[in-house]
Amino acid sequence: MTVVLKLGGSVVTEKETPETVDDEALAAAADAVAASDHDVVVIHGGGSFGHHHAAEYGVSTTEGTHDVAGVQAIHGAMTRLNSRIVTALTERGVPAVPVHPFSAADRGADGTLTLPTGQVRTLLSEGFVPVLHGDLVAHAGEGATVLSGDELVVELAPAVDADRVGVCSTVPGVLDEDGAVIDRIEAFEDAAAALGGSDATDVSGGMAAKVRALLELESPASVFGPDALSAFLDGDAPGTTIEADR
Ligand code: IP8
């Protein structure tokens, strides 16, 4: 069973304090991955590492920079967080290896992302746990822009033939207007009211963009909170299940 797992940056870092890992949360997440016997690809977000520097240099998924200091600050912070996560997994016996998307991916002038995935497939089949992260990406006409972990999920899940996709977030699932977890989403309209309208565009990686992207996948996806990570890796479908009704 192949699982693509996104660990939200806010789950494993203290979002308000620059470059600070939430050690307890990271330990719990790493314990859960270590207890799983699936083939896992881990992707983590930026939390207080990438986002802090990206905001400082005014860089987003669409607004780029040519400032090399900005590129080094943002990418450098993400590699530091990646190293902390790889280390936490390694300490628990997980054969985790870092994969840095900035070294491989690019975006065309129209925003189209090209991400080589052969190395991730081979690492998986050789028994490793590739650990990728939201990063910067070379972007034609923009310099470098942000590549979000959610974009990586969408690219990698089909590339590794994922049986399941998990998005571990700070909320226990996709919430309806009353704050209750929506059990199942089969079409964007199922959650449109709570997510702010069916045509809302969201480049900041909010829940609407996540749901829209996860609906495009062939594999079923779950959005859940940190407390449910072990249950997800054990085969349960906690939080919200997102699977297009085709
Ligand atoms: O937290 C963003 O990744 P995300 C990575 O998955 C950077 O959106 C560089 C801010």
Side-chain angles (χ1 to χ4, degrees):
M1 164 96 67
T2 302
V3 175
V4 169
L5 173 67
K6 159 98 193 275
L7 288 176
S10 310
V11 172
V12 291
T13 72
E14 311 249 3
K15 195 78 195 265
E16 303 311 324
T17 319
E19 295 206 29
T20 308
V21 169
D22 181 334
D23 289 314
E24 213 173 299
L26 175 55
D31 283 344
V33 174
S36 162
D37 52 12
H38 302 312
D39 295 337
V40 185
V41 178
V42 176
I43 298 164
H44 64 83
S48 63
F49 283 69
H51 288 287
H52 164 73
H53 294 285
E56 190 182 325
Y57 286 93
V59 183
S60 68
T61 52
T62 51
E63 297 293 320
T65 185
H66 291 87
D67 181 347
V68 71
V71 171
Q72 289 174 357
I74 300 164
H75 174 67
M78 288 310 303
T79 61
R80 285 190 286 281
L81 176 57
N82 183 255
S83 162
R84 295 285 297 273
I85 293 175
V86 168
T87 300
L89 291 167
T90 307
E91 285 170 355
R92 290 161 176 82
V94 177
V97 289
V99 177
H100 304 302
F102 182 56
S103 309
D106 78 290
R107 250 194 241 288
D110 64 355
T112 307
L113 178 68
T114 304
L115 177 78
T117 53
Q119 84 281 45
V120 175
R121 278 199 302 274
T122 303
L123 286 169
L124 258 187
S125 63
E126 293 298 317
F128 296 101
V129 171
V131 184
L132 295 90
H133 53 90
D135 204 343
L136 288 178
V137 57
H139 189 149
E142 285 290 334
T145 50
V146 168
L147 170 59
S148 79
D150 292 344
E151 289 176 274
L152 293 171
V153 169
V154 170
E155 295 291 321
L156 281 167
V160 301
D161 234 342
D163 298 289
R164 306 175 71 220
V165 171
V167 176
C168 182
S169 159
T170 47
V171 286
V174 182
L175 306 180
D176 69 14
E177 295 117 300
D178 301 322
V181 173
I182 301 172
D183 191 44
R184 191 173 173 82
I185 298 175
E186 295 183 348
F188 192 82
E189 293 65 45
D190 296 348
L195 294 174
S198 59
D199 288 325
T201 48
D202 184 343
V203 293
S204 66
M207 196 56 93
K210 268 196 223 319
V211 169
R212 206 185 284 281
L214 295 174
L215 279 167
E216 297 295 319
L217 296 177
E218 291 290 328
S219 19
S222 297
V223 177
F224 51 83
D227 294 349
L229 177 55
S230 291
F232 170 77
L233 289 170
D234 282 347
D236 292 350
T240 303
T241 300
I242 300 177
E243 187 171 18
D245 183 19
R246 294 195 168 89

